[in-house]
């Protein structure tokens, strides 16, 4: 009994610590920006908004803090958590260390839809983007599931080849469509290919945060099933995991998370690949720990990447996808080399 | 032919001088402006005029300070930076192109009036917004017509 209490207490302590880290990251995301705004101003705006205090702050400064930076940071956190969870779940489900929504082409599928909308001019409304993102993601994933099923029977490596071919094909789609664009269209498309958080406002938060929380819950509920999947679908089935149902739910959750995040901020690569691997290194392979750690690290990582993207070159915003790639591409290489060494 | 060309140049130069004179008569101090061309998505960082193109020439000629300090022709600058610079006048581009939602000048006006930060800018609150043809913001003889339109708008704005 006391053992259970102690582990509950440890769980509470770890959760509180994780939340504190997340809060600190969010604060950093609000304080650091192009225009220098003091911490005191940030605290004042937050207290005014949250507790209804009075303020003499300039409405523009207050607006920047409350309406630009806070939503942007919250969406960055949701997006980081959702994308890294998607990567983690895909890696476990298809037993492929290189699985990631960006590399597998879930995000690419979503960007293809978005880019097609931009250039071919098929509707312009956000809802249209959103619908297309979902459709493309769904289509992309079903291709991929077929490839995964084949690969599963023949062994992981072939499956991975199949995934990457589909992703490459979809990225080629994007490039094909992009080739028929002029310079200014191309600049608009960059948004979908490299990610952009500058247009994030409160309505985006009300979509991103619930989806990230929902996805997190869906993953956490299936933590034990995901452990079982590490030994392959047959072993999972023999351990009593309802394989089809779990696959359906988790792939649905991954698709939804990736689709929503891409529809809000464009495709941001490498988060889903590097964060889960880094966290396996830190907390081990059990999903009950791995899922919260991955979500937290992904959230903090993307907030940090957004800060770096704003500060790297003064007066200019580097696309956030470039920042994540700067970290992610070497990470990708390390994972590839380690995998080869093991094979 | 050559005479018609010379006459045209002379005409443009005198129109330019007249526009500049009318702006000088206002004795503008510390008046700033930004030219918003379009945005790839409605809410994201917009394309605005840098300090080397025709819009910069117009602002220089009329004594307006360009709040943008980039050497690019149409740099992408964040609304955060633009709002904090709080320009006295905002010039927006009107065009028939509808590639981006923000190509429509009415959408640009709607954004300025509804965005929680942009609507706090002095230029928006005092309705100091000038609409110019997008063509006239690229180098051509239309620049002079745009200069005149802008110069004619300034006296109504109660600028100090």
């Amino acid at each position: 009994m006391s053992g259970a209490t102690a582990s509950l207490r440890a769980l509470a302590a770890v959760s509180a610590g994780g939340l504190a880290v997340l809060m600190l990251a969010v604060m950093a995301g609000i304080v650091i920006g192009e225009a220098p705004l003091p911490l005191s101003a940030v605290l004042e705006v937050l207290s005014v908004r949250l507790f209804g205090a009075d303020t003499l702050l300039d409405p523009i400064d207050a607006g920047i803090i409350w309406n630009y930076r806070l939503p942007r940071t919250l969406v960055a956190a949701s997006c980081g958590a959702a994308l890294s969870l998607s990567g983690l779940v895909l890696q476990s489900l298809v037993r492929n260390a290189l699985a990631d929504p960006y590399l597998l082409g879930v995000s690419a599928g979503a960007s293809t839809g978005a880019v097609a909308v931009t250039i071919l001019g098929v509707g312009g409304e956000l809802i249209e983007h959103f619908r297309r993102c979902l459709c493309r993601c769904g289509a992309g994933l079903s291709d991929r599931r077929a490839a995964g099923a084949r690969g599963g029977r023949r062994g992981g490596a072939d499956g991975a080849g199949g995934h990457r071919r589909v992703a490459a094909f979809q990225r080629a789609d994007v490039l094909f469509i992009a080739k028929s664009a002029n310079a200014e269209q191309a600049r608009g498309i960059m948004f979908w290919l490299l990610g952009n958080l500058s247009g994030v406002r409160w309505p985006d938060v009300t979509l991103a945060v619930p989806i990230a929380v929902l996805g997190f819950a869906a993953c956490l509920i299936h933590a034990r099933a995901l452990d079982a999947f590490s030994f392959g679908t047959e072993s999972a089935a023999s351990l009593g995991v309802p394989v089809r149902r779990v696959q359906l739910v988790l792939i649905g959750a991954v698709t939804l998370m990736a689709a929503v995040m891409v529809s809000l901020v464009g495709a941001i690569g490498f988060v889903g690949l590097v964060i889960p691997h880094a966290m396996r290194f830190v907390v081990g392979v059990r999903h009950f720990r791995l899922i919260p750690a991955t979500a937290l690290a992904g959230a903090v990582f993307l907030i940090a990447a957004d800060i770096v993207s704003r500060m790297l070159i003064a007066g200019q915003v580097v696309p956030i996808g470039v920042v994540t790639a700067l970290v992610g591409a070497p990470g990708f290489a390390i994972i590839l080399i380690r995998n080869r060494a093991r094979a | 032919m050559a005479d018609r060309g010379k006459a045209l140049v002379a005409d443009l130069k005198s129109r330019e001088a007249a526009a500049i004179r009318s702006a000088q008569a206002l004795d503008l101090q510390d008046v700033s402006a930004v030219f918003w061309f379009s945005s790839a998505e409605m809410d994201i960082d917009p394309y605005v005029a840098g300090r080397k193109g025709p819009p910069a020439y117009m602002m220089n000629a009329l004594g307006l300070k360009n709040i943008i300090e980039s050497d690019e022709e149409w740099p992408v600058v964040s609304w955060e930076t633009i709002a904090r610079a709080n320009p006295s006048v905002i010039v927006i581009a009107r065009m028939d192109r509808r590639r981006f939602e923000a190509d429509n000048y009415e959408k640009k006006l709607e954004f300025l009036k509804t965005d929680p930060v942009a609507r706090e800018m002095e230029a928006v609150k005092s309705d100091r917004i000038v609409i110019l043809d997008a063509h006239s913001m690229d180098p051509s003889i239309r620049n002079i017509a745009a200069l005149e339109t802008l110069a004619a708008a300034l006296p109504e704005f109660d600028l100090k």
Side-chain angles (χ1 to χ4, degrees), chain B residues 19-67:
Chain B
I20 291 172
R21 266 199 309 278
S22 81
Q24 277 169 346
L26 297 172
D27 190 28
L28 299 177
Q29 310 284 338
D30 269 341
V31 175
S32 58
V34 66
F35 276 58
W36 176 14
F37 194 89
S38 189
S39 308
E41 296 282 323
M42 202 59 234
D43 289 343
I44 71 173
D45 296 343
Y47 300 120
V48 291
R51 58 180 178 190
K52 293 266 164 88
Y57 145 75
M58 291 177 215
M59 286 184 264
N60 271 332
L62 301 181
L64 305 171
K65 180 179 164 289
N66 186 3
I67 59 159

Side-chain angles (χ1 to χ4, degrees), chain A residues 33-37 59-61 63-64 67-69 72 118 124-125 129 182 184-185 187-188 191-192 196 198-201 204 310 315-317, chain B residues 37-38 40-41 43-45 47 72 74-81 83-84 86 97 99-101 103 107 111 115-118 120-122 125:
Chain A
E34 284 156 78
L37 293 169
I60 290 180
D61 285 356
I64 287 172
N67 290 305
Y68 285 178
R69 289 191 188 169
R72 181 181 184 139
T118 308
E125 299 304 311
H129 282 313
N182 60 33
E184 208 184 330
Q185 276 177 321
R187 280 172 77 173
F191 169 80
W192 293 105
N196 187 320
S198 70
V200 167
R201 304 286 189 271
D204 304 321
R310 283 180 282 168
Q316 203 178 327
V317 176
Chain B
F37 194 89
S38 189
E41 296 282 323
D43 289 343
I44 71 173
D45 296 343
Y47 300 120
E72 269 184 71
W74 293 104
V76 174
V77 178
S78 71
W79 280 114
E80 176 174 324
T81 302
R84 274 211 118 210
N86 203 0
R97 189 187 78 177
R99 183 175 308 139
F100 306 129
E101 201 184 343
D103 287 347
K107 292 281 182 185
F111 173 88
D115 182 81
V117 177
E120 298 291 341
M121 289 192 280
E122 286 304 322
K125 283 202 276 193

Side-chain angles (χ1 to χ4, degrees), chain B residues 13 24 38 59 65 91 101 108-109 128 145 156-157:
Chain B
K13 286 199 163 160
Q24 277 169 346
S38 189
M59 286 184 264
K65 180 179 164 289
V91 181
E101 201 184 343
K108 285 195 267 262
L109 281 175
R128 291 195 294 249
E156 298 163 21
F157 285 163

